[in-house]
Amino acid sequence: MAGVLIVDGANVVGSVPDGWWRDRRGAAERLRDQLARRGGDEEIILVVEGAARGVESVPGVRVDAAPGSGDDRIVELAAAHADRGCVVVTADRELRERVRAYGAECVGPRTVRPVD
């Protein structure tokens, strides 16, 4: 897949009950590292918010700390990258509707974080 993959960090991290709520930043870092191992030719943007702000980017994954609502930032990014082909990873129905208005494709969290 070429283009841009935008990951709703809070939604994807929260999709697996593995104790993420005890260390939100650590959970976001683990997701970032998992995304970095994907390889491929798409640009990957992990959107974080709240306690996960401050997570650093790594080669292959740009971390974008939402200044306010993570959902609002994801919509902004989808609009900005509409011309490149954009896939948003989230299970949030309202967010899916919002980004589809900009032509984004939507996939669920298991696409990037399979349940063991």
Side-chain angles (χ1 to χ4, degrees):
M1 162 195 340
V4 181
L5 182 71
I6 302 171
V7 180
D8 181 350
N11 188 268
V12 173
V13 163
S15 70
V16 178
D18 61 0
W20 60 264
W21 51 89
R22 290 188 294 268
D23 181 12
R24 292 170 193 253
R25 183 177 175 146
E29 289 171 340
R30 287 189 297 278
L31 174 58
R32 175 206 59 201
D33 295 346
Q34 186 177 12
L35 292 167
R37 291 190 296 270
R38 281 176 59 95
D41 58 352
E42 76 259 351
E43 177 184 359
I44 300 173
I45 304 171
L46 172 62
V47 177
V48 297
E49 61 188 334
R53 283 189 191 102
V55 171
E56 299 290 326
S57 296
V58 297
V61 179
R62 185 179 97 196
V63 178
D64 189 306
S69 161
D71 288 1
D72 290 347
R73 182 63 183 142
I74 291 166
V75 172
E76 290 172 6
L77 290 167
H81 295 289
D83 61 329
R84 291 184 54 200
C86 183
V87 175
V88 174
V89 182
T90 187
D92 183 315
R93 287 187 185 129
E94 181 181 330
L95 178 57
R96 285 176 171 230
E97 288 179 27
R98 292 176 66 193
V99 298
R100 282 186 179 131
Y102 296 99
E105 178 186 342
C106 298
V107 296
R110 288 186 180 184
T111 304
V112 297
R113 189 170 182 193
V115 177
D116 296 325

